[in-house]
Amino acid sequence: MTQFDMKFVEGAGLVKFDFLGLKTLSVLQKAVQLLKGRGVTVDLDTLAWDDAKVYELLQRGDTVGGCSSWNPKGMRKTLAAVRPTNFGDIIALVSLYRPGPMDNIPMFGRRKNGQEEIEYPHILLKPILEETYGIFVYQEQVMQAAQILAGYSLGDADLCAAPWARRSRRKWTPSACASSRAAPRATSSRPRRTSCST
């Protein structure tokens, strides 16, 4: 733990982790306790991730009072327009629903629903962009693209992708990427999939 600002921590070469507290988890715990008091046992760990009724609810945009990420009217309209059918779609929409990336939501929906052909910036990027229909959604995808196309190490790819991240005020450009690191070091192994987060 440190009291330094995140930019100083990253500049010192330390890894920054964000730990978020969610009121929703407390609400779910209380709901389970209340249901148990009525003789109904619910085990949240055994709930299915592919429950068709849950996705029908999301596709209607009927999410008021649920997860705070899905409460805004714009997000409810987005859910109804894109019609998520898997957990990956939900993660991508939460990541895209912010100023800037939000401009990609209509294309994401058209490509997801077969109304627009999925195109990839380069055929080598298909494995990392397939789950997001050819659209860069996550910083990890930018890092992997730098590894695949330019031979960057994971550390150099991270420095390259940093300006692309939503917290950075700098605009991403190839020259910004080049100035943020030394010459690329070729890597011999294919990049590993990292977790999807923004």
Side-chain angles (χ1 to χ4, degrees), residues 85-143:
T85 55
N86 60 63
F87 196 66
D89 290 343
I90 294 170
I91 296 169
L93 288 175
V94 170
S95 297
L96 286 169
Y97 195 77
R98 62 197 73 227
M102 185 178 280
D103 296 341
N104 289 315
I105 291 174
M107 184 189 332
F108 184 92
R110 290 190 305 270
R111 289 180 176 190
K112 185 227 175 324
N113 291 306
Q115 300 162 341
E116 180 178 307
E117 185 179 346
I118 298 172
E119 296 178 11
Y120 300 96
H122 192 286
I123 192 63
L124 292 176
L125 300 180
K126 183 177 180 181
I128 63 170
L129 296 178
E130 199 162 24
E131 72 179 340
T132 55
Y133 312 104
I135 299 168
F136 282 98
V137 174
Y138 310 113
Q139 182 175 348
E140 290 84 354
Q141 291 173 313
V142 176
M143 292 169 58

Side-chain angles (χ1 to χ4, degrees), residues 148-171:
I148 291 169
L149 297 178
Y152 287 14
S153 68
L154 187 58
D156 286 339
D158 184 43
L159 292 173
C160 179
W164 185 84
R166 71 174 190 258
R167 289 185 181 96
S168 177
R169 298 194 194 309
R170 288 174 32 196
K171 183 177 179 187

